[in-house]
Amino acid sequence: MRFNRMLLSTTLVIVALVIQVSVLARLHLPGAVPDLVLLTVLGLALVYGHVGGALVGFGAGLLSDLAPPADHAAGRYALVLCVIGYLAGLAKPETGRLKSATGPMAVVVVAALGSTLLYAGVGALVGDTAARHVGLPSLLFTAALYDLLLAPFVVPGVMALARRAENDPLAETNSAKASDVSSGWLSSGTGLRIGNQRGGLRIKAARSRMARAGRIKGVKRL
């Protein structure tokens, strides 16, 4: 990943994790806790694609596993968000622009349900049956509801920041300078000629011939 992607992703994930642990987790809402980290990963995955989404998801999940008051094995949520980030990145629009909010909202609902089911499934494999005592249907419903209500305030902003970081003006300036240098090197240093330059030389040669012919005709008339 690029440095600006890593810096932006790390900053957004840390901010989302701090808000989730210090604010959202203390609201004591019935059922699940609004997953601000998941929404951040989804917003970045819809801009960076499946590979970037998987990397961001793994890093965000690992931070969530290590952040207190985590009470599960480290790497469990990293696996969940890695898979979710990869799948969400597959829904990245080809043009990079979203035409409507229907697609991202569907991605949020599917991701909320999928992350809850995957987290509970991985927990069942390692002997964690907490989801059964709380009630898996209520967890699925509240997770999808909370994330869907929070998504319009998180996902568009994360995507806008990610796109702005991708369109770095310094990078565009450097690439423009590099293209100017390469074109100048091709046209002068190597002896090669560009098509437009050849056309300009041909036009100048034709004009010089016409001017020379006009002077010859003028001399003959005299």
Side-chain angles (χ1 to χ4, degrees):
M1 295 179 67
R2 300 175 184 176
F3 177 75
N4 56 347
R5 285 188 178 187
M6 296 176 60
L7 181 61
L8 177 64
S9 302
T10 303
T11 303
L12 291 178
V13 167
I14 292 176
V15 171
L17 183 60
V18 170
I19 296 176
Q20 180 172 328
V21 173
S22 60
V23 178
L24 298 179
R26 297 184 180 183
L27 295 178
H28 300 293
L29 297 173
V33 176
D35 201 339
L36 189 60
V37 176
L38 173 64
L39 296 178
T40 303
V41 171
L42 292 180
L44 294 173
L46 289 174
V47 177
Y48 295 156
H50 58 282
V51 176
L55 294 176
V56 173
F58 179 79
L62 189 59
L63 288 177
S64 300
D65 290 332
L66 299 177
D71 56 352
H72 54 270
R76 180 175 170 184
Y77 202 49
L79 174 62
V80 173
L81 286 187
C82 181
V83 175
I84 296 299
Y86 179 85
L87 296 178
L90 296 176
K92 173 186 175 182
E94 296 179 357
T95 59
R97 298 292 179 179
L98 297 173
K99 297 181 179 180
S100 65
T102 304
M105 293 298 102
V107 171
V108 169
V109 173
V110 173
L113 298 176
S115 62
T116 304
L117 287 174
L118 188 58
Y119 184 82
V122 175
L125 293 177
V126 297
D128 185 2
T129 59
R132 296 181 181 178
H133 300 291
V134 177
L136 188 58
S138 62
L139 282 178
L140 291 173
F141 176 76
T142 53
L145 178 62
Y146 297 154
D147 292 346
L148 188 61
L149 293 176
L150 196 60
F153 305 98
V154 179
V155 176
V158 172
M159 294 180 67
L161 290 175
R163 286 181 182 138
R164 182 172 297 180
E166 286 294 290
N167 299 326
D168 190 359
L170 295 178
E172 293 179 358
T173 304
N174 292 333
S175 62
K177 290 181 179 179
S179 63
D180 293 339
V181 172
S182 61
S183 62
W185 178 77
L186 287 175
S187 60
S188 60
T190 62
L192 298 177
R193 294 296 182 267
I194 304 174
N196 293 335
Q197 189 173 1
R198 287 182 177 179
L201 292 177
R202 290 176 181 175
I203 294 174
K204 290 181 179 179
R207 289 178 178 176
S208 62
R209 291 196 202 99
M210 292 176 63
R212 188 178 301 172
R215 288 196 299 268
I216 293 173
K217 289 180 179 179
V219 171
K220 287 183 178 180
R221 290 177 182 178
L222 292 176

